[in-house]
Amino acid sequence: MGKTSESVQAGTSRPGRLLAVLTAATLLQWLGSFAIAPLLPLYLADRHISAAGVGVVMAAFFLGALLSQYAAGRAAAARGHRGVLLSGLAAYAAGCLGLFASTGVGMDAVMRVLQGAGAGAFEVAALTAVATTVAPGTQGRAFSAIYTGQLLGVALGPLLGGFAGEHRMDLVFLGSGAAAVLASLPVLWLLPATVRAGSVPAASTVAAASTVATVSPVATDAAGSSAPTGPAGGAPPARLLLRRGVLGLLLVAGCDGLIAGVYETCWSLLMERDGASTTLIGLTFTLFALPYLVFAWPAGWLADRCDRRRLIGATTLVLSVTVASYPFLHSIPLIILLSCLEAAGLAVAYPAAQSLLAQECAAGDGTGRGQGLFATTQTATTVFAALASGALFAADPRLPFVLAALAALVTAALLPPLWREVAGTVAQVQARSAAGGAGVGPGTAGGPDTGREAAGREAAATPGRP
């Protein structure tokens, strides 16, 4: 066996090691990032930067991610996730060093762009690696592990940042960069250099099942045109990304991005309005993360067993209520209690959405493109919301929260008709694939590799199977 083959086998036969490395690296990167994020708006305000200027600097991070995420998804699928992970961490660390040396708001914004480009590439590569490595029946729990690493960073980062930021904010910038360097070490030492995400069996397995959207071997995209599906038919990934399932997920991504942009710019300002200290503001992030950590494992199990469409729709409705409520509440304990409810909902929503995205995009390099498009949509709306919400907050603190909540309500209303024909569980994918196989022969677009054979392989697939 050649060197390349050995590397590929190492990457695909040890998904547990891959998941452990990605979770540890994600924890370190998010810990450093959230040591900065809660305090940066206040740090900028102390330097006499207006609320609109704060919005520009905060939005710059997401602009950087917007520029990198789609390309990162394609690169991770085509060339392997290791290089993209390391490049993203290096860019983020360089942005932290630049913030330490920054002399003005313009340079602050440029360094935040660099940070965002690195963090965005890292996140997309990590999620693509999971989507193309882990068997479909356990993807919910695998994605939940990655998000647990993120939320642990959210829980611990603000505490560390709040302690150091009270005295020396520049040390927080250096510490965040050091965390990114540490995150690169397990990636560098423990992941093989030549694994291509597209070579992992889980991706091709779920593609064989998930591209049969109906009994017919021909899928219809959102525009009404038709295209052959299945591995033998080779439906182009661009056509797969027009499927109704993906379009609904892009709505979810846009909604999440709007809410994230509002929080990024306005949360600390809202807490300060209600009399919260810098330490308490950091603590609100930690308390938000704790319920997520408690619900992470059962939420991943739910995403693997229950209808993902209903889980996403229900949690989107919960979001619309919680986001709208915050600016009308002047009791910080009550706000924290409500944020805990929101965190529990997000613990369910994130792995469910990622599992559904992997299902709907898994063909060729469609997974990488789908992850990139999902992240790009989320980031684009975050940039818009972070830019606009600073000015909206200055006009009326309730406006940005109410508008984001309205977007969540509209999204929840649009999802059921969009996802009526989308399979919500792995069992439904298998059933539809089996039904499609009854009428699909070797001469059809689906080819001999679809139908009951594909469903059987789906049921038998394991992450370590060559």
Side-chain angles (χ1 to χ4, degrees):
M1 182 181 290
K3 209 175 233 184
T4 301
S5 298
E6 290 174 0
S7 296
V8 170
Q9 188 180 24
T12 59
S13 64
R14 296 185 180 92
R17 184 177 75 176
L18 172 72
L19 195 59
V21 169
L22 292 178
T23 302
T26 297
L27 166 60
L28 287 168
Q29 196 274 318
W30 277 64
L31 186 149
S33 182
F34 272 84
I36 292 176
L39 299 181
L40 188 56
L42 305 178
Y43 170 75
L44 295 170
D46 287 343
R47 292 166 60 193
H48 308 293
I49 295 172
S50 67
V54 171
V56 168
V57 174
M58 301 307 290
F61 180 92
F62 299 100
L63 177 61
L66 179 65
L67 296 175
S68 71
Q69 284 173 321
Y70 184 73
R74 294 197 63 177
R79 299 182 183 89
H81 40 263
R82 182 176 182 262
V84 182
L85 291 167
L86 291 172
S87 299
L89 290 170
Y92 181 82
C96 292
L97 184 62
L99 277 178
F100 173 78
S102 178
T103 56
V105 67
M107 189 173 177
D108 288 342
V110 171
M111 290 303 104
R112 289 289 284 173
V113 168
L114 186 57
Q115 281 186 321
F122 173 84
E123 182 176 7
V124 169
L127 293 174
T128 299
V130 171
T132 55
T133 303
V134 179
T138 58
Q139 281 179 349
R141 281 161 284 185
F143 283 121
S144 188
I146 298 296
Y147 285 119
T148 297
Q150 293 182 358
L151 268 293
L152 273 172
V154 173
L156 299 176
L159 291 179
L160 298 176
F163 177 76
E166 289 276 4
H167 309 287
R168 292 284 302 276
M169 190 66 187
D170 54 348
L171 293 181
V172 178
F173 298 146
L174 286 181
S176 182
V181 173
L182 286 175
S184 69
L185 297 182
V187 176
L188 186 63
W189 292 340
L190 298 176
L191 294 189
T194 55
V195 173
R196 288 185 57 191
S199 67
V200 177
S204 58
T205 301
V206 75
S210 67
T211 51
V212 184
T214 63
V215 173
S216 169
V218 177
T220 304
D221 62 27
S225 58
S226 298
T229 62
R239 185 65 60 87
L240 285 173
L241 296 183
L242 294 176
R243 292 160 62 89
R244 284 178 172 266
V246 178
L247 291 176
L249 286 162
L250 294 183
L251 278 178
V252 172
C255 171
D256 288 346
L258 288 174
I259 293 170
V262 169
Y263 287 169
E264 192 74 17
T265 299
C266 299
W267 182 262
S268 297
L269 300 175
L270 183 69
M271 293 295 97
E272 190 178 48
R273 181 203 71 172
D274 292 332
S277 65
T278 301
T279 303
L280 183 56
I281 290 172
L283 186 61
T284 62
F285 285 80
T286 302
L287 293 175
F288 172 82
L290 290 179
Y292 188 105
L293 298 176
V294 171
F295 284 97
W297 190 89
W301 184 88
L302 282 174
D304 288 331
R305 294 291 183 271
C306 300
D307 193 319
R308 294 156 179 168
R309 301 169 302 174
R310 294 179 180 175
L311 293 176
I312 296 167
T315 52
T316 303
L317 281 175
V318 170
L319 270 179
S320 69
V321 173
T322 57
V323 174
S325 302
Y326 292 130
F328 296 95
L329 303 174
H330 295 277
S331 167
I332 290 179
L334 189 56
I335 289 175
I336 291 174
L337 183 63
L338 200 61
S339 73
C340 290
L341 174 64
E342 180 180 342
L346 291 176
V348 175
Y350 287 159
Q354 286 295 329
S355 299
L356 192 60
L357 181 64
Q359 169 192 300
E360 291 298 296
C361 296
D365 67 345
T367 298
R369 294 189 186 198
Q371 288 288 350
L373 187 58
F374 183 92
T376 298
T377 301
Q378 188 175 40
T379 304
T381 53
T382 301
V383 171
F384 170 76
L387 282 170
S389 59
L392 290 171
F393 187 90
D396 187 332
R398 295 169 295 183
L399 270 178
F401 292 91
V402 170
L403 291 175
L406 182 61
L409 189 62
V410 171
T411 299
L414 292 176
L415 290 180
L418 268 177
W419 286 349
R420 186 177 294 115
E421 301 300 325
V422 174
T425 65
V426 173
Q428 289 176 0
V429 171
Q430 294 173 352
R432 292 186 181 190
S433 178
V440 177
T444 63
D449 203 28
T450 58
R452 298 185 186 276
E453 293 88 348
R457 283 196 309 278
E458 159 70 19
T462 60
R465 185 171 179 176

